[in-house]
Amino acid sequence: MPDAIRHINLSHVVLPIDNPVSDAKVLTGKQKPLSEMVMLFVEVLTEDGFRGMGFSYSKRAGGPAQFRHLKEIAEVAIGQDPSDIAKIYDTLLWAGASVGRSGVATQAIAALDVALWDLKARRAGLPLAKLLGAHRDSCRVYNTSGGFLQASVDEIKDKSTASLEAGIGAIKIKVGQPDWRLDLKRVAAIREHLGDVPLMVDANQQWDRARAKRMCRELEQFDLVWIEEPLDAWDAVGHAQLSTTFDTPIATGEMLTSVSEHMALVNAGYQGIVQPDAPRIGGITPFLRFATLANHAGLALAPHFAMEIHLHLAAAYPTEPWVEHFEWLSPLFEEQPEIRDGRMWVPDRPGLGFSLTPKMRQLTRESASVGRP
């Protein structure tokens, strides 16, 4: 008899950020500073006693909606064979079809999808990267959390130095301020401080096409690894045009919430770096679908956030990727990724290789249980 999903536990977790951060969306008045992460954790138990853990997240809004949507539809997964992840995914999509196949709907499903992949790898006794078929045991890693716009140049210099001393190999800073001259001054100062250390910048969608062209031209002098989200995330044509105009690569994709939204970039002729986010695109299942298509199109990969998941997915990508380091979620996991020599190393523990802390339980605002414990 095949195994079957017996129990699913959902946890709505609110994790404060000790020092709230601001990117360009805050300075242009579109959003408030980010002061907390809202997480949806899913824990799965099967009849044969196998377990898996997954998560998705939201920033500023949407966390309670993710929790409630999955709470409403999760029952359709009970009794299904946990190995049939794609089938379960489709079942969940149809259960909530009236609210669509992107956005909150698939971000809610993502947490369960990740848990099932974690379970499958744990049952095989393999790290997820090995289950998928790893191309490498480590990935290049860069830090973003120290480069937000509320920080002074001196603060960013100090945080960058600390990151490099901790073994991280590259630094990303935020740009996109209302006064573009300040952006150039900050980038110049950090480039001088870092020397030839790889440096990226992120405009968080705050330029129109004309300003983006001017800024990309000005930024060419700094030998950047990439310029991230210079345009609105859904401007596939604009990003494609920039990617074929400038020597500095263009990166985008983190805000997109379905495979079809990502494929709009490919279909527009985009030749930059893609940044799918497994919790946002809908889970590991759709992430892998897009990754296959992205590789076929010859695109480089740099998944956004969620390093605990993306380390494995990046390790399984055919060409050399980047993984983004954020320490924000560290209080929620007992284990921390190994970082040295500018790279993040795939753990040898089964599954994702991470387990939840008592702190995660303390920060749980609401939980729900489906099936038999």
Side-chain angles (χ1 to χ4, degrees), residues 9-11 39-44 51-57 70 108-119 122 279 284 309 333 352 354 356 360:
N9 188 74
L10 285 60
S11 300
M39 311 292 296
L40 171 59
F41 281 95
V42 171
E43 297 162 275
V44 177
R51 298 178 182 272
M53 179 276 296
F55 66 89
S56 59
Y57 71 93
L70 188 57
I109 294 171
L112 177 52
D113 183 77
V114 172
L116 291 175
W117 280 102
D118 179 54
L119 187 155
R122 289 192 192 195
I284 291 174
I309 300 171
F333 299 107
L352 294 175
F354 297 95
L356 300 173
M360 174 267 176

PDB file of all heavy atoms in Angstrom, residues 9-11 39-44 51-57 70 108-119 122 279 284 309 333 352 354 356 360:
ATOM      1  N   ASN A   9      -0.396  20.433   9.690  1.00  0.00           N
ATOM      2  CA  ASN A   9      -0.500  21.501  10.683  1.00  0.00           C
ATOM      3  C   ASN A   9      -0.026  22.812  10.068  1.00  0.00           C
ATOM      4  O   ASN A   9       1.036  22.868   9.437  1.00  0.00           O
ATOM      5  CB  ASN A   9       0.349  21.192  11.914  1.00  0.00           C
ATOM      6  CG  ASN A   9       0.090  22.185  13.031  1.00  0.00           C
ATOM      7  OD1 ASN A   9      -0.949  22.140  13.685  1.00  0.00           O
ATOM      8  ND2 ASN A   9       1.021  23.101  13.264  1.00  0.00           N
ATOM      9  N   LEU A  10      -0.821  23.861  10.235  1.00  0.00           N
ATOM     10  CA  LEU A  10      -0.521  25.180   9.706  1.00  0.00           C
ATOM     11  C   LEU A  10      -0.235  26.132  10.863  1.00  0.00           C
ATOM     12  O   LEU A  10      -0.945  26.114  11.873  1.00  0.00           O
ATOM     13  CB  LEU A  10      -1.682  25.741   8.895  1.00  0.00           C
ATOM     14  CG  LEU A  10      -1.966  25.220   7.490  1.00  0.00           C
ATOM     15  CD1 LEU A  10      -2.267  23.735   7.477  1.00  0.00           C
ATOM     16  CD2 LEU A  10      -3.124  25.993   6.876  1.00  0.00           C
ATOM     17  N   SER A  11       0.779  26.974  10.698  1.00  0.00           N
ATOM     18  CA  SER A  11       1.119  27.970  11.719  1.00  0.00           C
ATOM     19  C   SER A  11       1.292  29.335  11.070  1.00  0.00           C
ATOM     20  O   SER A  11       2.061  29.492  10.114  1.00  0.00           O
ATOM     21  CB  SER A  11       2.420  27.592  12.448  1.00  0.00           C
ATOM     22  OG  SER A  11       2.301  26.347  13.092  1.00  0.00           O
ATOM     23  N   MET A  39       4.939  34.705   8.348  1.00  0.00           N
ATOM     24  CA  MET A  39       5.288  33.400   7.800  1.00  0.00           C
ATOM     25  C   MET A  39       4.104  32.435   7.887  1.00  0.00           C
ATOM     26  O   MET A  39       3.321  32.485   8.850  1.00  0.00           O
ATOM     27  CB  MET A  39       6.462  32.807   8.582  1.00  0.00           C
ATOM     28  CG  MET A  39       7.646  33.729   8.789  1.00  0.00           C
ATOM     29  SD  MET A  39       8.526  34.093   7.277  1.00  0.00           S
ATOM     30  CE  MET A  39       9.121  32.457   6.838  1.00  0.00           C
ATOM     31  N   LEU A  40       3.996  31.573   6.907  1.00  0.00           N
ATOM     32  CA  LEU A  40       3.070  30.440   6.943  1.00  0.00           C
ATOM     33  C   LEU A  40       3.906  29.171   6.937  1.00  0.00           C
ATOM     34  O   LEU A  40       4.568  28.865   5.941  1.00  0.00           O
ATOM     35  CB  LEU A  40       2.127  30.460   5.744  1.00  0.00           C
ATOM     36  CG  LEU A  40       1.254  29.219   5.548  1.00  0.00           C
ATOM     37  CD1 LEU A  40       0.372  28.970   6.762  1.00  0.00           C
ATOM     38  CD2 LEU A  40       0.408  29.346   4.274  1.00  0.00           C
ATOM     39  N   PHE A  41       3.908  28.468   8.065  1.00  0.00           N
ATOM     40  CA  PHE A  41       4.626  27.199   8.157  1.00  0.00           C
ATOM     41  C   PHE A  41       3.638  26.045   8.035  1.00  0.00           C
ATOM     42  O   PHE A  41       2.520  26.098   8.567  1.00  0.00           O
ATOM     43  CB  PHE A  41       5.370  27.084   9.490  1.00  0.00           C
ATOM     44  CG  PHE A  41       6.657  27.842   9.529  1.00  0.00           C
ATOM     45  CD1 PHE A  41       6.705  29.123  10.043  1.00  0.00           C
ATOM     46  CD2 PHE A  41       7.821  27.288   9.028  1.00  0.00           C
ATOM     47  CE1 PHE A  41       7.887  29.843  10.072  1.00  0.00           C
ATOM     48  CE2 PHE A  41       9.012  27.988   9.035  1.00  0.00           C
ATOM     49  CZ  PHE A  41       9.049  29.276   9.570  1.00  0.00           C
ATOM     50  N   VAL A  42       4.062  25.000   7.338  1.00  0.00           N
ATOM     51  CA  VAL A  42       3.266  23.786   7.184  1.00  0.00           C
ATOM     52  C   VAL A  42       4.105  22.591   7.614  1.00  0.00           C
ATOM     53  O   VAL A  42       5.264  22.457   7.190  1.00  0.00           O
ATOM     54  CB  VAL A  42       2.791  23.604   5.728  1.00  0.00           C
ATOM     55  CG1 VAL A  42       2.162  22.232   5.541  1.00  0.00           C
ATOM     56  CG2 VAL A  42       1.792  24.689   5.362  1.00  0.00           C
ATOM     57  N   GLU A  43       3.534  21.750   8.444  1.00  0.00           N
ATOM     58  CA  GLU A  43       4.174  20.496   8.845  1.00  0.00           C
ATOM     59  C   GLU A  43       3.248  19.348   8.447  1.00  0.00           C
ATOM     60  O   GLU A  43       2.060  19.363   8.762  1.00  0.00           O
ATOM     61  CB  GLU A  43       4.427  20.496  10.354  1.00  0.00           C
ATOM     62  CG  GLU A  43       5.398  21.588  10.783  1.00  0.00           C
ATOM     63  CD  GLU A  43       5.339  21.880  12.261  1.00  0.00           C
ATOM     64  OE1 GLU A  43       4.480  22.687  12.674  1.00  0.00           O
ATOM     65  OE2 GLU A  43       6.152  21.288  13.013  1.00  0.00           O
ATOM     66  N   VAL A  44       3.817  18.379   7.748  1.00  0.00           N
ATOM     67  CA  VAL A  44       3.042  17.258   7.203  1.00  0.00           C
ATOM     68  C   VAL A  44       3.489  15.955   7.864  1.00  0.00           C
ATOM     69  O   VAL A  44       4.689  15.732   8.082  1.00  0.00           O
ATOM     70  CB  VAL A  44       3.248  17.158   5.674  1.00  0.00           C
ATOM     71  CG1 VAL A  44       2.494  15.953   5.112  1.00  0.00           C
ATOM     72  CG2 VAL A  44       2.793  18.433   4.993  1.00  0.00           C
ATOM     73  N   ARG A  51       7.761  12.828   7.941  1.00  0.00           N
ATOM     74  CA  ARG A  51       7.406  14.228   8.198  1.00  0.00           C
ATOM     75  C   ARG A  51       8.095  15.152   7.204  1.00  0.00           C
ATOM     76  O   ARG A  51       9.174  14.857   6.697  1.00  0.00           O
ATOM     77  CB  ARG A  51       7.791  14.633   9.630  1.00  0.00           C
ATOM     78  CG  ARG A  51       7.062  13.837  10.706  1.00  0.00           C
ATOM     79  CD  ARG A  51       7.509  14.233  12.106  1.00  0.00           C
ATOM     80  NE  ARG A  51       6.842  13.431  13.126  1.00  0.00           N
ATOM     81  CZ  ARG A  51       5.664  13.742  13.670  1.00  0.00           C
ATOM     82  NH1 ARG A  51       5.056  14.872  13.303  1.00  0.00           N
ATOM     83  NH2 ARG A  51       5.114  12.969  14.578  1.00  0.00           N
ATOM     84  N   GLY A  52       7.459  16.293   6.969  1.00  0.00           N
ATOM     85  CA  GLY A  52       8.047  17.329   6.132  1.00  0.00           C
ATOM     86  C   GLY A  52       7.637  18.696   6.632  1.00  0.00           C
ATOM     87  O   GLY A  52       6.584  18.858   7.262  1.00  0.00           O
ATOM     88  N   MET A  53       8.484  19.700   6.361  1.00  0.00           N
ATOM     89  CA  MET A  53       8.231  21.072   6.798  1.00  0.00           C
ATOM     90  C   MET A  53       8.462  22.020   5.632  1.00  0.00           C
ATOM     91  O   MET A  53       9.436  21.891   4.894  1.00  0.00           O
ATOM     92  CB  MET A  53       9.171  21.432   7.962  1.00  0.00           C
ATOM     93  CG  MET A  53       9.026  22.856   8.489  1.00  0.00           C
ATOM     94  SD  MET A  53       9.955  24.113   7.556  1.00  0.00           S
ATOM     95  CE  MET A  53      11.655  23.594   7.842  1.00  0.00           C
ATOM     96  N   GLY A  54       7.566  22.972   5.464  1.00  0.00           N
ATOM     97  CA  GLY A  54       7.729  23.985   4.435  1.00  0.00           C
ATOM     98  C   GLY A  54       7.192  25.319   4.902  1.00  0.00           C
ATOM     99  O   GLY A  54       6.516  25.405   5.935  1.00  0.00           O
ATOM    100  N   PHE A  55       7.490  26.359   4.142  1.00  0.00           N
ATOM    101  CA  PHE A  55       6.997  27.681   4.523  1.00  0.00           C
ATOM    102  C   PHE A  55       6.841  28.577   3.310  1.00  0.00           C
ATOM    103  O   PHE A  55       7.441  28.375   2.259  1.00  0.00           O
ATOM    104  CB  PHE A  55       7.926  28.350   5.539  1.00  0.00           C
ATOM    105  CG  PHE A  55       9.302  28.707   5.022  1.00  0.00           C
ATOM    106  CD1 PHE A  55       9.547  29.940   4.425  1.00  0.00           C
ATOM    107  CD2 PHE A  55      10.359  27.813   5.142  1.00  0.00           C
ATOM    108  CE1 PHE A  55      10.806  30.270   3.955  1.00  0.00           C
ATOM    109  CE2 PHE A  55      11.625  28.140   4.681  1.00  0.00           C
ATOM    110  CZ  PHE A  55      11.853  29.368   4.081  1.00  0.00           C
ATOM    111  N   SER A  56       6.004  29.582   3.476  1.00  0.00           N
ATOM    112  CA  SER A  56       5.928  30.727   2.574  1.00  0.00           C
ATOM    113  C   SER A  56       5.916  31.965   3.453  1.00  0.00           C
ATOM    114  O   SER A  56       5.958  31.868   4.684  1.00  0.00           O
ATOM    115  CB  SER A  56       4.698  30.650   1.662  1.00  0.00           C
ATOM    116  OG  SER A  56       3.517  30.604   2.422  1.00  0.00           O
ATOM    117  N   TYR A  57       5.849  33.137   2.850  1.00  0.00           N
ATOM    118  CA  TYR A  57       5.954  34.354   3.648  1.00  0.00           C
ATOM    119  C   TYR A  57       5.279  35.512   2.936  1.00  0.00           C
ATOM    120  O   TYR A  57       4.935  35.439   1.756  1.00  0.00           O
ATOM    121  CB  TYR A  57       7.427  34.701   3.900  1.00  0.00           C
ATOM    122  CG  TYR A  57       8.146  35.185   2.663  1.00  0.00           C
ATOM    123  CD1 TYR A  57       8.232  36.544   2.367  1.00  0.00           C
ATOM    124  CD2 TYR A  57       8.717  34.278   1.765  1.00  0.00           C
ATOM    125  CE1 TYR A  57       8.870  36.984   1.218  1.00  0.00           C
ATOM    126  CE2 TYR A  57       9.355  34.715   0.622  1.00  0.00           C
ATOM    127  CZ  TYR A  57       9.424  36.071   0.349  1.00  0.00           C
ATOM    128  OH  TYR A  57      10.043  36.504  -0.796  1.00  0.00           O
ATOM    129  N   LEU A  70      -5.060  28.412   2.728  1.00  0.00           N
ATOM    130  CA  LEU A  70      -4.594  27.028   2.834  1.00  0.00           C
ATOM    131  C   LEU A  70      -5.418  26.257   3.858  1.00  0.00           C
ATOM    132  O   LEU A  70      -5.710  25.068   3.651  1.00  0.00           O
ATOM    133  CB  LEU A  70      -3.109  26.993   3.202  1.00  0.00           C
ATOM    134  CG  LEU A  70      -2.467  25.604   3.148  1.00  0.00           C
ATOM    135  CD1 LEU A  70      -2.628  24.966   1.773  1.00  0.00           C
ATOM    136  CD2 LEU A  70      -1.002  25.669   3.525  1.00  0.00           C
ATOM    137  N   ALA A 108      -0.041  30.486  -0.822  1.00  0.00           N
ATOM    138  CA  ALA A 108      -0.527  29.639   0.266  1.00  0.00           C
ATOM    139  C   ALA A 108      -0.193  28.175  -0.005  1.00  0.00           C
ATOM    140  O   ALA A 108       0.310  27.458   0.868  1.00  0.00           O
ATOM    141  CB  ALA A 108      -2.035  29.823   0.435  1.00  0.00           C
ATOM    142  N   ILE A 109      -0.453  27.726  -1.220  1.00  0.00           N
ATOM    143  CA  ILE A 109      -0.148  26.346  -1.595  1.00  0.00           C
ATOM    144  C   ILE A 109       1.346  26.073  -1.495  1.00  0.00           C
ATOM    145  O   ILE A 109       1.780  24.957  -1.177  1.00  0.00           O
ATOM    146  CB  ILE A 109      -0.665  26.061  -3.020  1.00  0.00           C
ATOM    147  CG1 ILE A 109      -2.201  26.132  -3.053  1.00  0.00           C
ATOM    148  CG2 ILE A 109      -0.191  24.694  -3.515  1.00  0.00           C
ATOM    149  CD1 ILE A 109      -2.777  26.083  -4.466  1.00  0.00           C
ATOM    150  N   ALA A 110       2.156  27.101  -1.747  1.00  0.00           N
ATOM    151  CA  ALA A 110       3.610  26.941  -1.761  1.00  0.00           C
ATOM    152  C   ALA A 110       4.136  26.314  -0.479  1.00  0.00           C
ATOM    153  O   ALA A 110       5.036  25.467  -0.512  1.00  0.00           O
ATOM    154  CB  ALA A 110       4.286  28.294  -1.995  1.00  0.00           C
ATOM    155  N   ALA A 111       3.603  26.732   0.665  1.00  0.00           N
ATOM    156  CA  ALA A 111       4.103  26.224   1.941  1.00  0.00           C
ATOM    157  C   ALA A 111       3.916  24.713   2.044  1.00  0.00           C
ATOM    158  O   ALA A 111       4.806  23.990   2.518  1.00  0.00           O
ATOM    159  CB  ALA A 111       3.404  26.937   3.095  1.00  0.00           C
ATOM    160  N   LEU A 112       2.776  24.207   1.593  1.00  0.00           N
ATOM    161  CA  LEU A 112       2.524  22.766   1.614  1.00  0.00           C
ATOM    162  C   LEU A 112       3.364  22.055   0.557  1.00  0.00           C
ATOM    163  O   LEU A 112       3.898  20.968   0.803  1.00  0.00           O
ATOM    164  CB  LEU A 112       1.029  22.500   1.399  1.00  0.00           C
ATOM    165  CG  LEU A 112       0.581  21.039   1.325  1.00  0.00           C
ATOM    166  CD1 LEU A 112       1.088  20.229   2.511  1.00  0.00           C
ATOM    167  CD2 LEU A 112      -0.949  20.966   1.238  1.00  0.00           C
ATOM    168  N   ASP A 113       3.506  22.669  -0.606  1.00  0.00           N
ATOM    169  CA  ASP A 113       4.319  22.077  -1.658  1.00  0.00           C
ATOM    170  C   ASP A 113       5.768  21.908  -1.202  1.00  0.00           C
ATOM    171  O   ASP A 113       6.374  20.847  -1.402  1.00  0.00           O
ATOM    172  CB  ASP A 113       4.256  22.963  -2.898  1.00  0.00           C
ATOM    173  CG  ASP A 113       5.020  22.373  -4.075  1.00  0.00           C
ATOM    174  OD1 ASP A 113       4.491  21.442  -4.711  1.00  0.00           O
ATOM    175  OD2 ASP A 113       6.146  22.835  -4.341  1.00  0.00           O
ATOM    176  N   VAL A 114       6.323  22.937  -0.564  1.00  0.00           N
ATOM    177  CA  VAL A 114       7.692  22.845  -0.055  1.00  0.00           C
ATOM    178  C   VAL A 114       7.793  21.741   0.991  1.00  0.00           C
ATOM    179  O   VAL A 114       8.766  20.975   1.020  1.00  0.00           O
ATOM    180  CB  VAL A 114       8.141  24.196   0.531  1.00  0.00           C
ATOM    181  CG1 VAL A 114       9.493  24.061   1.237  1.00  0.00           C
ATOM    182  CG2 VAL A 114       8.228  25.253  -0.565  1.00  0.00           C
ATOM    183  N   ALA A 115       6.786  21.631   1.863  1.00  0.00           N
ATOM    184  CA  ALA A 115       6.799  20.592   2.892  1.00  0.00           C
ATOM    185  C   ALA A 115       6.808  19.196   2.277  1.00  0.00           C
ATOM    186  O   ALA A 115       7.472  18.287   2.790  1.00  0.00           O
ATOM    187  CB  ALA A 115       5.592  20.760   3.815  1.00  0.00           C
ATOM    188  N   LEU A 116       6.090  19.008   1.184  1.00  0.00           N
ATOM    189  CA  LEU A 116       6.053  17.694   0.546  1.00  0.00           C
ATOM    190  C   LEU A 116       7.389  17.353  -0.106  1.00  0.00           C
ATOM    191  O   LEU A 116       7.817  16.191  -0.087  1.00  0.00           O
ATOM    192  CB  LEU A 116       4.924  17.654  -0.485  1.00  0.00           C
ATOM    193  CG  LEU A 116       3.502  17.690   0.106  1.00  0.00           C
ATOM    194  CD1 LEU A 116       2.467  17.776  -1.002  1.00  0.00           C
ATOM    195  CD2 LEU A 116       3.245  16.477   0.990  1.00  0.00           C
ATOM    196  N   TRP A 117       8.068  18.350  -0.682  1.00  0.00           N
ATOM    197  CA  TRP A 117       9.403  18.094  -1.224  1.00  0.00           C
ATOM    198  C   TRP A 117      10.398  17.793  -0.109  1.00  0.00           C
ATOM    199  O   TRP A 117      11.265  16.917  -0.250  1.00  0.00           O
ATOM    200  CB  TRP A 117       9.865  19.277  -2.064  1.00  0.00           C
ATOM    201  CG  TRP A 117       9.279  19.287  -3.446  1.00  0.00           C
ATOM    202  CD1 TRP A 117       8.244  20.052  -3.907  1.00  0.00           C
ATOM    203  CD2 TRP A 117       9.700  18.482  -4.547  1.00  0.00           C
ATOM    204  NE1 TRP A 117       7.984  19.761  -5.230  1.00  0.00           N
ATOM    205  CE2 TRP A 117       8.867  18.810  -5.649  1.00  0.00           C
ATOM    206  CE3 TRP A 117      10.700  17.525  -4.723  1.00  0.00           C
ATOM    207  CZ2 TRP A 117       9.010  18.202  -6.898  1.00  0.00           C
ATOM    208  CZ3 TRP A 117      10.840  16.916  -5.964  1.00  0.00           C
ATOM    209  CH2 TRP A 117       9.998  17.256  -7.035  1.00  0.00           C
ATOM    210  N   ASP A 118      10.274  18.511   0.996  1.00  0.00           N
ATOM    211  CA  ASP A 118      11.126  18.242   2.151  1.00  0.00           C
ATOM    212  C   ASP A 118      10.902  16.817   2.649  1.00  0.00           C
ATOM    213  O   ASP A 118      11.854  16.068   2.923  1.00  0.00           O
ATOM    214  CB  ASP A 118      10.808  19.252   3.254  1.00  0.00           C
ATOM    215  CG  ASP A 118      11.622  19.037   4.519  1.00  0.00           C
ATOM    216  OD1 ASP A 118      12.866  18.990   4.437  1.00  0.00           O
ATOM    217  OD2 ASP A 118      11.007  18.936   5.605  1.00  0.00           O
ATOM    218  N   LEU A 119       9.634  16.412   2.734  1.00  0.00           N
ATOM    219  CA  LEU A 119       9.289  15.057   3.174  1.00  0.00           C
ATOM    220  C   LEU A 119       9.859  14.013   2.220  1.00  0.00           C
ATOM    221  O   LEU A 119      10.429  13.000   2.657  1.00  0.00           O
ATOM    222  CB  LEU A 119       7.763  14.939   3.259  1.00  0.00           C
ATOM    223  CG  LEU A 119       7.161  13.667   3.856  1.00  0.00           C
ATOM    224  CD1 LEU A 119       5.765  13.966   4.411  1.00  0.00           C
ATOM    225  CD2 LEU A 119       7.054  12.534   2.836  1.00  0.00           C
ATOM    226  N   ARG A 122      13.568  13.747   2.751  1.00  0.00           N
ATOM    227  CA  ARG A 122      13.855  13.122   4.057  1.00  0.00           C
ATOM    228  C   ARG A 122      13.628  11.615   3.993  1.00  0.00           C
ATOM    229  O   ARG A 122      14.404  10.832   4.540  1.00  0.00           O
ATOM    230  CB  ARG A 122      12.965  13.737   5.144  1.00  0.00           C
ATOM    231  CG  ARG A 122      13.306  15.156   5.519  1.00  0.00           C
ATOM    232  CD  ARG A 122      12.563  15.550   6.782  1.00  0.00           C
ATOM    233  NE  ARG A 122      12.619  16.986   7.035  1.00  0.00           N
ATOM    234  CZ  ARG A 122      12.304  17.540   8.194  1.00  0.00           C
ATOM    235  NH1 ARG A 122      11.903  16.782   9.203  1.00  0.00           N
ATOM    236  NH2 ARG A 122      12.362  18.855   8.340  1.00  0.00           N
ATOM    237  N   PRO A 279       8.519  30.472  -2.685  1.00  0.00           N
ATOM    238  CA  PRO A 279       7.261  30.760  -1.997  1.00  0.00           C
ATOM    239  C   PRO A 279       6.337  31.684  -2.776  1.00  0.00           C
ATOM    240  O   PRO A 279       5.118  31.592  -2.638  1.00  0.00           O
ATOM    241  CB  PRO A 279       7.728  31.415  -0.699  1.00  0.00           C
ATOM    242  CG  PRO A 279       9.071  30.829  -0.437  1.00  0.00           C
ATOM    243  CD  PRO A 279       9.684  30.719  -1.808  1.00  0.00           C
ATOM    244  N   ILE A 284       7.980  24.780  -4.844  1.00  0.00           N
ATOM    245  CA  ILE A 284       9.098  24.167  -5.556  1.00  0.00           C
ATOM    246  C   ILE A 284       8.632  23.573  -6.882  1.00  0.00           C
ATOM    247  O   ILE A 284       9.360  23.632  -7.885  1.00  0.00           O
ATOM    248  CB  ILE A 284       9.758  23.100  -4.668  1.00  0.00           C
ATOM    249  CG1 ILE A 284      10.470  23.783  -3.487  1.00  0.00           C
ATOM    250  CG2 ILE A 284      10.736  22.241  -5.460  1.00  0.00           C
ATOM    251  CD1 ILE A 284      11.034  22.831  -2.456  1.00  0.00           C
ATOM    252  N   ILE A 309      15.434  27.399   1.357  1.00  0.00           N
ATOM    253  CA  ILE A 309      14.872  26.635   0.240  1.00  0.00           C
ATOM    254  C   ILE A 309      15.752  26.760  -0.998  1.00  0.00           C
ATOM    255  O   ILE A 309      16.104  25.776  -1.657  1.00  0.00           O
ATOM    256  CB  ILE A 309      13.450  27.128  -0.092  1.00  0.00           C
ATOM    257  CG1 ILE A 309      12.513  26.959   1.112  1.00  0.00           C
ATOM    258  CG2 ILE A 309      12.890  26.405  -1.316  1.00  0.00           C
ATOM    259  CD1 ILE A 309      11.157  27.630   0.930  1.00  0.00           C
ATOM    260  N   PHE A 333      14.888  28.765  12.830  1.00  0.00           N
ATOM    261  CA  PHE A 333      15.469  27.475  12.466  1.00  0.00           C
ATOM    262  C   PHE A 333      16.619  27.109  13.408  1.00  0.00           C
ATOM    263  O   PHE A 333      17.461  27.949  13.725  1.00  0.00           O
ATOM    264  CB  PHE A 333      15.979  27.509  11.027  1.00  0.00           C
ATOM    265  CG  PHE A 333      14.906  27.783  10.012  1.00  0.00           C
ATOM    266  CD1 PHE A 333      14.828  29.010   9.383  1.00  0.00           C
ATOM    267  CD2 PHE A 333      13.964  26.816   9.698  1.00  0.00           C
ATOM    268  CE1 PHE A 333      13.834  29.277   8.458  1.00  0.00           C
ATOM    269  CE2 PHE A 333      12.960  27.062   8.785  1.00  0.00           C
ATOM    270  CZ  PHE A 333      12.888  28.298   8.155  1.00  0.00           C
ATOM    271  N   LEU A 352      15.288  19.683   3.417  1.00  0.00           N
ATOM    272  CA  LEU A 352      15.862  21.027   3.413  1.00  0.00           C
ATOM    273  C   LEU A 352      17.038  21.123   4.378  1.00  0.00           C
ATOM    274  O   LEU A 352      17.921  21.962   4.214  1.00  0.00           O
ATOM    275  CB  LEU A 352      14.800  22.063   3.797  1.00  0.00           C
ATOM    276  CG  LEU A 352      13.621  22.255   2.834  1.00  0.00           C
ATOM    277  CD1 LEU A 352      12.618  23.230   3.438  1.00  0.00           C
ATOM    278  CD2 LEU A 352      14.092  22.757   1.470  1.00  0.00           C
ATOM    279  N   PHE A 354      16.642  21.724   7.720  1.00  0.00           N
ATOM    280  CA  PHE A 354      16.357  22.694   8.772  1.00  0.00           C
ATOM    281  C   PHE A 354      15.167  22.226   9.603  1.00  0.00           C
ATOM    282  O   PHE A 354      14.219  21.646   9.075  1.00  0.00           O
ATOM    283  CB  PHE A 354      16.052  24.073   8.173  1.00  0.00           C
ATOM    284  CG  PHE A 354      17.208  24.656   7.416  1.00  0.00           C
ATOM    285  CD1 PHE A 354      17.302  24.502   6.039  1.00  0.00           C
ATOM    286  CD2 PHE A 354      18.209  25.343   8.078  1.00  0.00           C
ATOM    287  CE1 PHE A 354      18.371  25.020   5.327  1.00  0.00           C
ATOM    288  CE2 PHE A 354      19.286  25.875   7.378  1.00  0.00           C
ATOM    289  CZ  PHE A 354      19.366  25.711   6.006  1.00  0.00           C
ATOM    290  N   LEU A 356      12.497  23.450  13.068  1.00  0.00           N
ATOM    291  CA  LEU A 356      11.931  24.645  13.671  1.00  0.00           C
ATOM    292  C   LEU A 356      12.334  24.786  15.136  1.00  0.00           C
ATOM    293  O   LEU A 356      12.476  23.802  15.857  1.00  0.00           O
ATOM    294  CB  LEU A 356      10.412  24.615  13.541  1.00  0.00           C
ATOM    295  CG  LEU A 356       9.901  24.572  12.093  1.00  0.00           C
ATOM    296  CD1 LEU A 356       8.396  24.382  12.049  1.00  0.00           C
ATOM    297  CD2 LEU A 356      10.305  25.831  11.340  1.00  0.00           C
ATOM    298  N   MET A 360       9.946  29.802  17.071  1.00  0.00           N
ATOM    299  CA  MET A 360       8.899  29.802  16.057  1.00  0.00           C
ATOM    300  C   MET A 360       7.541  29.528  16.697  1.00  0.00           C
ATOM    301  O   MET A 360       6.537  30.170  16.363  1.00  0.00           O
ATOM    302  CB  MET A 360       9.219  28.761  14.983  1.00  0.00           C
ATOM    303  CG  MET A 360       8.124  28.550  13.945  1.00  0.00           C
ATOM    304  SD  MET A 360       7.036  27.179  14.459  1.00  0.00           S
ATOM    305  CE  MET A 360       5.803  27.233  13.174  1.00  0.00           C
TER     306      MET A 360
END
